[in-house]
Amino acid sequence: MAHSSYNTPSNVRQKIYSSAYKKVNKTSYPDDDDRRIIGLIEPVINLSAANDCYKVHTLIEDINSILSDKKELRKEGIELKNKSIDLAKNFSVTFITDSTIPEPTMDLLPNGLLSFTWRKKGIGMINLLFTDQGYALYTAFFPYGKEEITIKGKIKDFTELSDSFISAIEKLNLS
Amino acid sequence: MTLPLPDIVAEEEELARVVCDSSKQKKYKNKIIYNEDDDSWDVQVSVFLDGREPKEVHSVNRISTLNLGQAHALGIQHRDDHQPDSTYHGFAKILAAICYEQDCAVEPDDLDGTKPYHANITYPNTKLEDMHEIATKLAELSEFERNPELDNPSD
């Protein structure tokens, strides 16, 4: 099991379900079958494996381009954090290639750390920040429900991601 | 004549965080993301994380008393002062109340009278976890106002 110092309680998960669902139907909460029908928890299945490979390849190419721009970035005052970039690359390989999660947007921070973001308009966003200490920090933020919901934590082992992170991405139903 | 702004930043005041990035187009440098579906823009989390010291302090302009053109003029001035080789994309607009909800301080700082609209959002601490969380929230809850002089993204 992946390490997470912030386990997401089940009641918070229910809130996330409910918050997302309210965007679709404000009258009642769905059971699991209903959630699947409206696509809130069903993972997105890509039909073309070849397409997956192409996408991941592009992402890794983009990450590599950061490394090749190291000198140029230094002139702009950005000192790349190599461990962060490597971690992002590992994440891409171990997670994105083997899953149905779509390609994130990349964001190089002024402090040289790299982050990935997934957004779903009207529902919320997840940001995954790769640190220089061998773990990633995630913040999943759902501001559009009746009450704001934030879940956050650390992911150390990308081969077995924390349940909370995976379920948060599923809630976003990113497709 | 410009009337002085109050010494306290009110909750309902709008704050503008200037968004500039390198003129060289690189995917990882994009600070704004265009949504074709609804012709809108999102700002990246890094817009609300500063590279300069002190890292917890983030410059903004108080724009509630200004029209859109005047607000953009302040953004262009900021670009010229700090990132002259970059492209001015616009600004991320955020209510002061949202900053206060994250336990941030919002304090006027007119930089010895040279910038009467300038203020600082100061994050409550410099722990990476906390700054990351606040920056994520501010990015999601802000509204991007694009520099009208830039090309239409759908062209």
Side-chain angles (χ1 to χ4, degrees), chain A residues 6 58 62 65-66 69 72-73 76 103 105-111 113 117 119 121 124-125 127-129 131 135 137-139 141 143-144 148 150 152 154, chain B residues 22 24 26-31 33 35 38 40-47 49-52 55 101-102 127-130 132-133 136-141:
Chain A
Y6 305 86
T58 308
D62 289 338
S65 76
I66 298 174
D69 291 346
E72 184 187 315
L73 287 166
E76 295 175 16
E103 197 170 304
T105 55
M106 275 201 303
D107 187 13
L108 183 64
L109 274 53
N111 59 8
L113 299 177
T117 302
R119 272 187 158 104
K121 203 76 180 174
M125 70 184 287
N127 184 267
L128 188 58
L129 174 64
T131 70
Y135 60 85
L137 294 167
Y138 67 88
T139 296
F141 180 44
Y144 301 108
E148 290 182 1
T150 306
K152 62 178 184 176
K154 292 179 181 178
Chain B
S22 167
K24 292 181 182 175
K26 298 277 183 169
K27 215 172 187 177
Y28 62 83
K29 286 184 179 176
N30 288 343
K31 296 299 171 204
I33 306 294
N35 302 306
D38 59 358
S40 67
W41 295 85
D42 291 321
V43 299
Q44 296 270 46
V45 172
S46 61
V47 166
L49 288 171
D50 220 309
R52 293 179 295 174
K55 287 186 168 47
E101 284 167 12
Q102 316 308 318
K127 272 179 68 180
L128 185 62
E129 289 91 330
D130 294 339
H132 175 231
E133 183 184 0
T136 301
K137 286 184 177 179
L138 296 188
E140 182 64 7
L141 296 173

Side-chain angles (χ1 to χ4, degrees), chain A:
Chain A
M1 184 65 205
H3 171 85
S4 175
S5 59
Y6 305 86
N7 289 321
T8 307
S10 60
N11 64 325
V12 173
R13 289 188 182 195
Q14 181 56 47
K15 283 181 182 177
I16 295 169
Y17 279 126
S18 305
S19 172
Y21 183 71
K22 282 172 190 169
K23 295 293 150 192
V24 182
N25 182 344
K26 293 183 178 174
T27 56
S28 63
Y29 296 156
D31 60 23
D32 277 357
D33 286 342
D34 288 335
R35 289 185 195 123
R36 289 196 177 90
I37 290 166
I38 61 177
L40 289 176
I41 62 172
E42 188 75 354
V44 181
I45 307 297
N46 281 330
L47 297 176
S48 164
N51 191 41
D52 272 355
C53 293
Y54 175 76
K55 276 189 173 180
V56 171
H57 179 64
T58 308
L59 185 63
I60 292 176
E61 267 191 349
D62 289 338
I63 294 172
N64 286 339
S65 76
I66 298 174
L67 292 167
S68 62
D69 291 346
K70 194 171 184 175
K71 283 184 183 172
E72 184 187 315
L73 287 166
R74 187 173 290 153
K75 285 178 192 168
E76 295 175 16
I78 299 174
E79 281 293 339
L80 275 190
K81 302 289 192 302
N82 289 336
K83 281 186 184 172
S84 169
I85 312 297
D86 288 345
L87 211 52
K89 213 167 167 179
N90 290 342
F91 175 84
S92 302
V93 173
T94 60
F95 182 52
I96 294 176
T97 51
D98 293 338
S99 82
T100 55
I101 301 300
E103 197 170 304
T105 55
M106 275 201 303
D107 187 13
L108 183 64
L109 274 53
N111 59 8
L113 299 177
L114 189 61
S115 81
F116 288 171
T117 302
W118 295 264
R119 272 187 158 104
K120 181 73 175 175
K121 203 76 180 174
I123 296 183
M125 70 184 287
I126 293 175
N127 184 267
L128 188 58
L129 174 64
F130 300 95
T131 70
D132 211 24
Q133 284 80 42
Y135 60 85
L137 294 167
Y138 67 88
T139 296
F141 180 44
F142 304 87
Y144 301 108
K146 198 171 181 180
E147 51 188 308
E148 290 182 1
I149 297 165
T150 306
I151 57 173
K152 62 178 184 176
K154 292 179 181 178
I155 302 170
K156 281 190 173 175
D157 180 0
F158 294 139
T159 58
E160 286 188 71
L161 287 164
S162 71
D163 288 345
S164 53
F165 181 67
I166 291 171
S167 74
I169 288 183
E170 288 174 352
K171 302 315 161 295
L172 276 176
N173 186 29
L174 293 157
S175 56

Side-chain angles (χ1 to χ4, degrees), chain B residues 102-114:
Chain B
Q102 316 308 318
D103 290 329
C104 296
V106 186
E107 292 162 325
D109 177 10
D110 67 3
L111 301 171
D112 296 328
T114 58

